[in-house]
């Protein structure tokens, strides 16, 4: 066989061998399974408990238990004065209308408006019961204080207008069986309704009835505000934050379905 013919046969055989190797490699590559990119982890939320936990309750539950026969300035009177009277434009620390600042114990004695043991001669009490709209405090269109709130101021002055305080949760913080009538309503009346009631309610949010409070609980504003969460206005405005125990009680009430 001529040498040239032999070389041509060798070149042809080499060409087909190369093709077979390429096809074999490609077929092996097709045997790998398709690998999809991993997606984000599924986030599962519990619709029954979407409220963040309140801070750990580290309060001291010793001290003086509260007596129903005593009016306490720090626990009852001051929060009521801050809520109903120490508003912007009235008797807050900045405006000081008529030189009176009702955001502290010393301020409650401004201009002699409190005379210990003599509520009927104390201006602080007299303006609360005045029937003349031009003299009554809080000024219209804000609603007047309730009879219970007026009685509280009367009792406090009658007992000497002391700068006293008691432990509202003496012995421990009980979050079992919290109800609107038993805990939430009195809390709103004493610390929130001064701003959140009447025709000019702050933020157009009223907290005077069960339905109104329930609405704010359902939309998250109630707990978000009293626990001072980011994105919510801190409440009570200008006052002291609710204790961890109170936050726990409000959270327990909401999670229990807001019983009346």
């Amino acid at each position: 066989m001529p040498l040239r013919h032999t070389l041509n046969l060798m070149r042809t055989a080499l060409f087909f061998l190369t093709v077979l190797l390429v096809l074999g490699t490609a077929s092996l590559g097709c045997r790998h399974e398709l690998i999809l990119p991993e997606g984000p982890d599924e986030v599962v939320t519990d619709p029954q408990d979407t409220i963040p936990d309140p801070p750990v309750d580290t309060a001291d539950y010793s001290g003086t238990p509260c007596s129903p026969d005593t009016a306490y300035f720090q626990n009852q009177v001051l929060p009521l004065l801050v809520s109903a009277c120490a508003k912007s434009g009235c008797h807050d620390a900045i405006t000081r209308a008529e030189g009176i600042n009702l955001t502290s114990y010393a301020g409650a004695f401004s201009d002699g408006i409190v005379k210990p043991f003599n509520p009927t001669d104390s201006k602080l009490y007299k303006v609360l019961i005045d029937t003349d709209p031009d003299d009554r405090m809080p000024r219209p269109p804000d609603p007047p204080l309730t009879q219970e709130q007026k009685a509280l101021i009367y009792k406090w002055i009658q007992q000497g207008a002391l700068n006293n305080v008691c432990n509202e949760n003496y012995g421990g913080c009980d979050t079992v069986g919290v109800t609107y009538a038993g805990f939430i309503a009195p809390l709103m009346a004493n610390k929130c309704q001064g701003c959140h009631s009447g025709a000019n309610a702050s933020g157009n949010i009223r907290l005077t009835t069960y339905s109104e409070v329930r609405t704010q609980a359902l939309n998250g504003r109630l707990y978000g505000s009293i626990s001072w969460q980011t994105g919510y206005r801190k409440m009570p405005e200008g006052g002291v934050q609710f204790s961890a125990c109170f936050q726990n009680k409000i959270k327990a009430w909401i999670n229990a379905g807001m019983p009346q």
Side-chain angles (χ1 to χ4, degrees), residues 109-254:
F109 288 84
S110 302
D111 198 30
I113 61 174
V114 170
K115 295 184 178 181
F117 306 105
N118 193 353
T120 57
D121 197 32
S122 296
K123 184 178 179 181
L124 177 65
Y125 177 72
K126 291 195 292 184
V127 296
L128 299 179
I129 62 174
D130 201 314
T131 57
D132 187 339
D134 293 331
D135 297 325
R136 188 260 291 174
M137 297 292 287
R139 290 285 175 83
D142 288 340
L145 297 189
T146 65
Q147 292 302 318
E148 292 79 8
Q149 291 169 334
K150 295 174 185 177
L152 172 66
I153 301 297
Y154 183 96
K155 180 191 287 188
W156 173 67
I157 298 175
Q158 186 183 49
Q159 293 178 344
L162 302 175
N163 186 17
N164 51 354
V165 63
C166 65
N167 192 334
E168 296 165 313
N169 301 290
Y170 179 82
C173 183
D174 187 4
T175 60
V176 178
V178 180
T179 64
Y180 176 77
F183 177 74
I184 303 297
L187 182 68
M188 296 296 105
N190 195 37
K191 301 190 177 185
C192 304
Q193 288 177 10
C195 293
H196 297 289
S197 62
N200 291 336
S202 178
N204 200 32
I205 296 174
R206 295 171 183 80
L207 299 172
T208 57
T209 67
Y210 171 77
S211 177
E212 291 168 344
V213 176
R214 182 176 183 274
T215 296
Q216 300 309 316
L218 288 173
N219 65 26
R221 286 182 178 176
L222 178 64
Y223 187 77
S225 296
I226 62 100
S227 60
W228 292 12
Q229 293 179 24
T230 302
Y232 293 92
R233 195 167 183 175
K234 295 179 179 179
M235 294 293 170
E237 188 171 21
V240 178
Q241 184 182 17
F242 288 171
S243 67
C245 179
F246 277 20
Q247 293 180 48
N248 271 308
K249 285 188 172 185
I250 293 173
K251 182 178 187 291
W253 176 69
I254 296 173

Side-chain angles (χ1 to χ4, degrees), residues 73-97:
F73 181 78
Q74 294 295 334
N75 302 77
Q76 300 169 301
V77 176
L78 182 59
L80 179 59
L81 294 178
V82 169
S83 174
C85 308
K87 302 177 183 180
S88 178
C90 293
H91 301 296
D92 61 329
I94 298 176
T95 307
R96 301 173 63 92

